């Protein structure tokens, strides 16, 4: 018996079957929301269990083992061959270099009450070098800036900072530029060094200090070694990029003319990449200056030590005066190296008569500079900066007066802002992280990493979570994580608002970009001072300072992303009747997703670095653990473990956000 199948009306016998329906996979935002909801539900049930909390004075077996290693190294330092013939020799060479530069410009030498070159000679040399590599405007800025350092009463401290910076930069460039050239010429070397550079630039400045003191002791030598390690990656990366950016047609033309490999390098590649290499030198100098100030925590002399001591005693006036000196030095060094980069480009197009009139002037300037150096070497009045720093005293008193006024008149507003953000956002999120079972937080982080960054990011997150548990500082790590995430959210709010404004308006870009560039020049210590005056020594101070420190880079990345959206697309949306709000939210921001993700990546790294530095002003958690490890011998192991935890957080953030950026742009 056959059964007739009735076909739907209007279809022929030869009509194709409808395509099978496929279930749509839920989007990433929906999966992220589901993970967060499940986390909250389990938190409500399991709150307070398996939190792995550790009291401030308690140590784990790992911390004690680190202490034992430190004690063992200290006992064997003068007998172990590895130290006798390697670490101690490196320390001796660096210490000799630093001592030489200090005795040259900052510290009295044996038999002399003053350095070899006094203030007049240093100012003269600074002006002449700035003019020689830059222009007369930069030379005037350099002379005025260095003179101002003396008027502040901080001449010797400034010269100590300059001596350590110069020493670290010299050694860093001796190593970095050849390695950068090698990485630019060899694909294999480039592939090998890139992960190391990524890792080194992810690590906050604090992290370099503890392990280096283990091998090189506390003092200027360790500070210089830490500084050169931190400052070398930008020079390596930018030099390699400069070599690789030279057009291949130019290199092929040199090869076709019979140039050897050495001739191609010295006559083609290096001259054509000189400007970019000088930009790398600029970034190395800025990184070195930032690190030298932080290295005051391991007894590096200079302005950083003045700032640290003032922050620890809550002396806002002294901290502001020293912080201003750091800013002045940073601006001078940045402008000089930027002008040198511009001159390298101009020299390629210069005419012969320009060099002809410049050479005699440079010779005359060299003669005048030699006279100033001789006077500063011979006479006390030219060696010791005159006066007693009246300008610095006035600046300190003014800062104290402004601080007192702000605390008396603005405390209601600042406290309300602080309490609202702390109570409404920071405390609940920190509670979620620190009061959830550690395995629940770890599972949520791994799941979020896998969803946002992919399988590899999830595996990296799982490894980092496991190692964080192993450090014994899970609770402190979660506290730091909470502050970092909250600060990053605020950074991205500022970054999107100001970045979109800059990206849509050329006038706003011209007005804001110089301020953002100047803000990126300042070392992180400087940001703590004004917010210490406004908010006191609290974790909120570190968060606000971190937001201000990280916002410039996020704003610039977002602005560039919005600006790169094709004008034709924006014009099409405008002609379709879209409002400005619709164009921004439906066109420009969605098309700039990769820039937003990159801005989040950089914001996270900058924020983490600053939140940790905030341990000096009451931020607590991992930053406090690191600082306590330097100041209290029995907590050294805990401080070293805290540094490791900071690295793990940085690696976890970096891997997830970089993978998310790649997936977004794909």
């Amino acid at each position: 018996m056959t059964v007739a199948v009735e076909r739907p009306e209007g279809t022929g016998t030869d009509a194709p079957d409808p395509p099978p329906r496929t279930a749509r996979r839920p989007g990433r935002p929906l999966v992220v929301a589901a993970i967060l909801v499940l986390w909250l539900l389990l938190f409500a049930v399991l709150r307070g269990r398996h939190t792995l909390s550790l009291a401030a004075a308690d140590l784990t077996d790992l911390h004690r083992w680190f202490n034992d290693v430190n004690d063992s190294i200290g006992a064997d330092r003068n007998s172990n061959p590895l130290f006798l013939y390697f670490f101690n020799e490196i320390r001796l060479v660096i210490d000799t270099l630093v001592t030489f530069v200090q005795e040259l410009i900052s510290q009295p030498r044996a038999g002399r009450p003053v350095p070899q070159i006094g203030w007049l000679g240093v100012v003269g040399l600074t002006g002449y070098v700035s003019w020689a590599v830059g222009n007369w405007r930069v030379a005037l800025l350099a002379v005025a800036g260095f003179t101002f350092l003396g008027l502040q009463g901080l001449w010797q401290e400034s010269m100590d900072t300059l001596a350590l910076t110069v020493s670290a930069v010299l050694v860093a460039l001796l190593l970095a530029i050849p390695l950068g050239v090698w990485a630019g010429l060899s694909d294999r070397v480039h592939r090998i060094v890139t992960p190391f550079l990524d890792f080194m630039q992810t690590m906050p400045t604090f992290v370099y200090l503890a392990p280096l003191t283990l091998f090189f002791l506390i003092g200027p030598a360790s500070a210089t070694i830490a500084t050169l390690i931190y400052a070398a990656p930008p020079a390596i990366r930018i030099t390699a990029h400069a070599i690789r950016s030279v057009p291949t047609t130019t290199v092929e033309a040199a090869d076709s003319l019979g140039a050897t490999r050495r001739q191609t390098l010295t006559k083609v590649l290096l001259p054509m990449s000189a400007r970019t290499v000088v930009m790398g030198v600029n970034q190395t100098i800025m990184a070195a200056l930032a690190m030298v100030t932080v290295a005051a925590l391991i007894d590096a002399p200079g302005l950083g030590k003045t700032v640290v001591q003032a922050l620890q005693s809550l002396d806002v006036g002294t901290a502001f005066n020293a912080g201003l000196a750091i800013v002045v030095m940073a601006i001078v060094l940045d402008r000089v190296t930027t002008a040198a980069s511009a001159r390298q480009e101009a020299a390629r197009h210069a005419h012969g008569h320009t060099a002809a009139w410049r050479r005699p002037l440079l010779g005359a300037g060299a003669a005048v500079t030699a006279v100033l150096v001789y006077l500063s070497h011979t006479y006390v009045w030219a060696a010791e900066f005159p006066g007693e720093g009246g300008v610095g005293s006035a600046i300190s008193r003014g800062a104290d007066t402004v601080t007192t006024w702000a605390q008396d008149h603005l405390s209601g507003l600042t406290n309300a802002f602080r309490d609202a953000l702390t109570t409404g956002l920071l405390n609940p999120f920190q509670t979620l992280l620190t009061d959830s079972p550690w395995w629940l937080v770890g599972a949520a982080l791994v799941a979020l990493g896998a969803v946002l960054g992919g399988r590899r990011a999830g595996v990296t997150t799982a490894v980092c979570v496991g190692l964080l548990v192993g450090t014994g500082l899970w609770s402190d790590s979660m506290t730091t994580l909470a502050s970092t995430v909250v600060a990053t959210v605020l950074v991205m709010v500022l970054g999107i608002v100001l970045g979109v404004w800059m990206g849509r308006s050329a006038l706003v870009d011209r007005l804001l970009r110089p301020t953002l560039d100047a803000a990126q020049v300042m070392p992180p210590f400087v940001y703590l001072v004004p917010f210490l005056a406004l908010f006191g020594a609290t974790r909120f101070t570190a968060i606000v300072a971190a937001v201000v420190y990280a916002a410039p880079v996020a704003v610039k990345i977002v602005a560039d992303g919005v600006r790169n959206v094709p004008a034709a697309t924006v014009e099409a949306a405008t002609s379709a009747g879209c409002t400005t709000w619709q164009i921004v939210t439906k066109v420009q921001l969605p098309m700039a997703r990769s820039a937003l993700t990159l801005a989040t990546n950089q914001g996270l790294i900058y924020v983490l670095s600053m939140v940790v530095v905030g341990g000096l002003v009451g931020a607590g958690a991992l930053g406090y653990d690191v600082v306590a490890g330097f100041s209290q011998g029995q907590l050294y192991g805990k401080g070293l473990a805290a540094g490791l935890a900071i690295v793990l957080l940085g690696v976890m953030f970096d891997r997830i956000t970089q993978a998310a950026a790649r997936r977004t742009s794909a």
Side-chain angles (χ1 to χ4, degrees):
M1 175 174 137
T2 60
V3 179
V5 178
E6 185 178 4
R7 294 184 178 273
E9 186 178 351
T11 62
T13 56
D14 296 329
D17 294 332
R21 293 184 178 181
T22 58
R24 292 184 59 189
R25 297 178 62 184
R28 281 200 292 267
L30 185 60
V31 176
V32 169
I35 292 171
L36 295 177
V37 169
L38 180 60
W39 183 4
L40 289 172
L41 292 175
L42 292 175
F43 167 74
V45 177
L46 302 171
R47 180 174 182 177
R49 303 179 186 177
H50 309 131
T51 58
L52 301 183
S53 58
L54 186 71
D58 290 345
L59 302 177
T60 67
D61 291 338
L62 177 66
H63 307 159
R64 296 188 186 92
W65 183 77
F66 281 152
N67 284 338
D68 292 340
V69 170
N70 184 36
D71 295 339
S72 176
I73 289 176
D76 297 340
R77 190 176 300 277
N78 296 321
S79 58
N80 190 307
L82 184 61
F83 281 88
L84 283 176
Y85 303 110
F86 185 70
F87 291 118
N88 289 357
E89 291 299 319
I90 293 176
R91 185 174 183 274
L92 178 62
V93 170
I94 298 297
D95 196 43
T96 301
L97 174 63
V98 173
T99 301
F100 170 76
V101 179
Q102 283 184 309
E103 290 178 348
L104 196 65
I105 62 174
S106 65
Q107 296 287 346
R109 190 176 180 181
R112 284 177 58 86
V114 292
Q116 294 292 330
I117 303 176
W119 75 271
L120 189 61
V122 171
V123 170
L125 278 171
T126 301
Y128 178 73
V129 171
S130 302
W131 177 40
V133 303
N135 54 61
W136 64 270
R137 296 182 185 85
V138 174
L140 287 179
L141 173 66
V143 169
F146 272 60
T147 303
F148 181 71
L149 298 176
L151 295 175
Q152 286 182 274
L154 295 170
W155 179 259
Q156 181 168 333
E157 292 87 345
S158 301
M159 292 303 100
D160 280 329
T161 297
L162 182 63
L164 263 64
T165 302
V166 168
S167 302
V169 168
L170 285 176
V171 179
L173 294 179
L174 284 175
L175 300 173
I177 290 182
L179 183 56
V181 171
W182 193 13
L185 296 173
S186 170
D187 291 336
R188 178 180 297 177
V189 175
H190 189 263
R191 287 194 301 269
I192 292 172
V193 301
T194 297
F196 289 99
L197 297 179
D198 291 341
F199 179 73
M200 292 171 69
Q201 291 192 287
T202 300
M203 294 168 61
T205 52
F206 260 29
V207 176
Y208 290 88
L209 302 181
L212 286 173
T213 59
L214 189 65
F215 298 103
F216 299 105
L217 298 177
I218 288 176
S222 292
T224 305
I225 293 169
T227 301
L228 71 90
I229 292 174
Y230 181 72
I236 298 172
R237 191 186 294 275
I238 294 175
T239 301
H241 170 72
I243 297 295
R244 288 175 167 270
S245 298
V246 175
T248 55
T249 53
T250 305
V251 179
E252 291 170 356
D255 291 338
S256 66
L257 293 174
T260 64
R261 188 178 180 88
R262 179 187 294 271
Q263 289 173 329
T264 301
L265 176 63
T266 57
K267 303 295 185 182
V268 178
L269 293 174
L270 288 179
M272 293 191 69
S273 59
R275 179 180 183 181
T276 307
V277 172
V278 175
M279 288 175 57
V281 174
N282 169 276
Q283 293 301 302
T284 297
I285 292 174
M286 293 298 100
L289 182 59
M291 188 65 186
V292 162
T293 55
V294 174
L297 292 170
I298 56 173
D299 203 31
L303 295 168
K305 179 176 284 189
T306 304
V307 173
V308 170
Q309 292 173 346
L311 290 175
Q312 290 174 339
S313 61
L314 302 183
D315 185 354
V316 175
T318 301
F320 182 82
N321 187 44
L324 181 60
I326 295 172
V327 172
V328 169
M329 184 175 292
I331 290 173
V332 169
L333 295 177
D334 178 63
R335 292 299 95 192
V336 170
T337 48
T338 301
S341 176
R343 175 162 287 281
Q344 287 291 331
E345 181 67 18
R348 295 175 57 193
H349 308 287
H351 300 288
H353 68 272
T354 305
W357 65 258
R358 183 174 169 81
R359 253 187 229 103
L361 289 179
L362 286 175
V368 173
T369 303
V371 172
L372 295 179
V373 170
Y374 170 77
L375 292 174
S376 69
H377 177 78
T378 308
Y379 299 100
V380 175
W381 62 266
E384 295 180 346
F385 200 93
E388 298 181 357
V391 172
S393 300
I395 291 173
S396 297
R397 289 194 300 271
D400 287 332
T401 300
V402 171
T403 299
T404 303
W405 181 88
Q407 291 172 346
D408 291 341
H409 295 83
L410 300 179
S411 59
L413 181 62
T414 57
N415 290 344
F417 176 61
R418 180 191 65 197
D419 294 342
L421 191 60
T422 302
T423 305
L425 185 60
L426 180 59
N427 284 348
F429 187 50
Q430 181 173 317
T431 300
L432 177 65
L433 287 170
T434 56
D435 287 3
S436 293
W438 69 267
W439 51 265
L440 175 58
V441 179
L445 291 176
V446 171
L448 290 172
V451 171
L452 296 174
R455 183 180 301 174
R456 289 186 179 180
V459 172
T460 302
T461 304
V463 172
C464 290
V465 166
L467 293 176
L468 281 172
V469 174
T471 63
L473 296 172
W474 177 262
S475 182
D476 285 352
S477 300
M478 293 303 100
T479 301
T480 298
L481 175 62
S483 299
T484 302
V485 172
V486 169
T488 303
V489 170
L490 298 177
V491 166
M492 289 309 300
V493 170
L494 278 177
I496 291 173
V497 171
L498 296 180
V500 169
W501 196 16
M502 286 177 60
R504 290 177 55 84
S505 171
L507 175 61
V508 174
D509 187 275
R510 286 197 299 270
L511 292 175
L512 287 184
R513 192 168 288 271
T515 303
L516 299 177
D517 292 340
Q520 285 190 274
V521 169
M522 294 191 294
F525 263 18
V526 178
Y527 288 88
L528 293 175
V529 178
F531 299 108
L532 177 65
L534 285 175
F535 301 107
T538 65
R539 57 181 175 163
F540 184 78
T541 300
I543 290 175
V544 176
V547 171
V548 177
Y549 176 62
V553 65
V555 170
K556 289 164 71 174
I557 292 173
V558 174
D560 291 340
V562 170
R563 191 179 299 107
N564 289 334
V565 174
T569 305
V570 178
E571 291 170 0
T574 304
S575 63
C578 293
T579 63
T580 300
W581 175 257
Q582 290 172 326
I583 292 174
V584 171
T585 57
K586 303 296 185 182
V587 179
Q588 289 178 313
L589 286 180
M591 295 188 70
R593 283 195 304 270
S594 60
L596 294 177
T597 312
L598 178 61
T600 304
N601 170 273
Q602 293 299 297
L604 274 168
I605 300 304
Y606 274 68
V607 163
L608 179 61
S609 175
M610 192 64 190
V611 165
V612 172
V613 173
L616 293 169
V617 292
L622 294 178
Y624 171 80
D625 293 333
V626 174
V627 175
F630 291 134
S631 57
Q632 304 176 45
Q634 71 274 16
L635 296 179
Y636 177 84
K638 193 173 186 178
L640 198 59
L644 176 60
I646 294 166
V647 173
L648 294 171
L649 287 177
V651 170
M652 184 171 65
F653 288 148
D654 184 62
R655 293 301 96 183
I656 292 174
T657 51
Q658 280 202 25
R662 288 192 296 268
R663 295 183 73 182
T664 301
S665 59

